[in-house]
Amino acid sequence: MMTLQNKNAVIYGAGGSLGGAVAKAFAAAGATVFLTGPNQKSVQKVANEITALGGLAETAIVDAFDETAINQHLQRIVNNAGTVDISFNAVGVNVVQNVPLTEISPEDFVKPITLTMQTRFMTAIAAGKVMMKQKSGVILSLTATPGGIGYPHTGGFGPACSGVESFSRTLASELGAYGIRVVNIRSGGSPDSRVFKTAIDATPDVMDPILKKMEADTMLKKLPLMADIANTAVFLASDLAGQITGVTIDVTGGTTAALNYKVNRLD
């Protein structure tokens, strides 16, 4: 279904595995995707994969922590394409995890919160200003399980997720009168994403019990794949979700509704 036909979508962090998956899904749904990231090679790779399948993609090196660069890029899109219909930020930041909060340094705790909120704020506000003139648009963000439930040893990541979710709700309340929707997606962590695959390849003995515990915590006894997140993003960006705003859509297999590790799988 070409649910995003004639839509222009900007993806920040498009060279990452999840950002790239969402970009491909947007393009497959008919959107023209504007891929940004700090690394031309990784962003261009995603663009090449999209165009090889008949999709429309353009690339640009944009620092998603640079307000001027973000605004200038969006203005170029408006000048050349007319509108910015969808904005999605998948930029990742380094996080110190697997350390109790009582042992983590203030800098390691605060830094991911600050950086995450900085880039999400800059890209969303820049898109919001453009969309206010259009009287339409969708701003999407991404968090993870710790944004909705207490999860030990996640350092500043959990508070960062909670901050993004709160910001998304607040922004939605301010932009709704302009016909703009703001929605956050909460992921359970995709084992087929690059960050998980890298960790699995490097330390399989460590990651195996971690993944089994994460799967056991879900109601469905399996973690969402990148395609699950990408498909959710396509739906939320489309007119099919025209009355959904100001909320976080949970794609964690049910983890944040209740920890289900005591429930055994039925074979």
Side-chain angles (χ1 to χ4, degrees):
M1 294 178 62
M2 304 296 278
T3 54
L4 301 182
Q5 189 74 44
N6 300 321
K7 302 290 187 181
N8 297 319
V10 183
I11 297 93
Y12 299 94
S17 56
L18 188 52
V22 171
K24 294 172 191 175
F26 282 168
T32 298
V33 292
F34 295 85
L35 313 178
T36 77
N39 187 309
Q40 176 65 33
K41 184 178 180 180
S42 61
V43 173
Q44 190 61 52
K45 180 177 182 293
V46 176
N48 292 343
E49 292 172 356
I50 289 172
T51 55
L53 295 174
L56 300 175
E58 295 185 17
T59 66
I61 299 303
V62 177
D63 182 354
F65 295 90
D66 184 332
E67 185 178 18
T68 299
I70 294 166
N71 285 318
Q72 289 178 343
H73 178 244
L74 291 184
Q75 191 56 55
R76 288 197 299 272
I77 295 174
V78 172
N79 292 342
N80 297 326
T83 59
V84 174
D85 303 297
I86 304 161
S87 174
F88 177 70
N89 188 322
V91 173
V93 301
N94 293 326
V95 183
V96 174
Q97 298 191 72
N98 300 317
V99 179
L101 290 173
T102 52
E103 298 178 15
I104 199 170
S105 73
E107 180 182 3
D108 287 340
F109 176 75
V110 171
K111 191 173 183 178
I113 302 173
T114 301
L115 292 178
T116 297
M117 292 306 303
Q118 181 182 3
T119 181
R120 265 54 174 187
F121 176 83
M122 286 182 174
T123 58
I125 294 305
K129 290 178 179 178
V130 172
M131 292 173 180
M132 287 169 70
K133 298 176 182 178
Q134 303 170 175
K135 300 294 191 294
S136 67
V138 182
I139 299 172
L140 300 176
S141 55
L142 179 72
T143 57
T145 302
I149 196 169
Y151 222 83
H153 301 167
T154 55
F157 183 61
C161 289
S162 296
V164 171
E165 294 181 13
S166 177
F167 168 61
S168 178
R169 291 192 298 269
T170 303
L171 188 62
S173 72
E174 295 186 6
L175 297 184
Y178 296 91
I180 302 165
R181 296 188 294 110
V182 186
V183 189
N184 179 68
I185 302 168
R186 185 190 294 147
S187 167
S190 300
D192 60 336
S193 66
R194 186 179 303 157
V195 63
F196 272 87
K197 283 186 172 181
T198 300
I200 292 169
D201 291 341
T203 56
D205 293 340
V206 174
M207 288 302 298
D208 183 62
I210 290 176
L211 287 173
K212 286 181 177 177
K213 176 62 167 61
M214 292 175 67
E215 290 174 347
D217 283 345
T218 71
M219 291 180 176
L220 297 177
K221 302 307 175 190
K222 60 181 180 180
L223 294 169
L225 300 179
M226 290 193 295
D228 296 309
I229 307 303
N231 290 337
T232 301
V234 169
F235 167 70
L236 293 173
S238 76
D239 292 340
L240 295 173
Q243 288 297 309
I244 299 177
T245 192
V247 296
T248 288
I249 302 300
D250 191 276
V251 194
T252 67
T255 306
T256 58
L259 293 179
N260 284 265
Y261 56 87
K262 291 184 179 180
V263 179
N264 294 323
R265 185 193 305 271
L266 296 177
D267 295 322

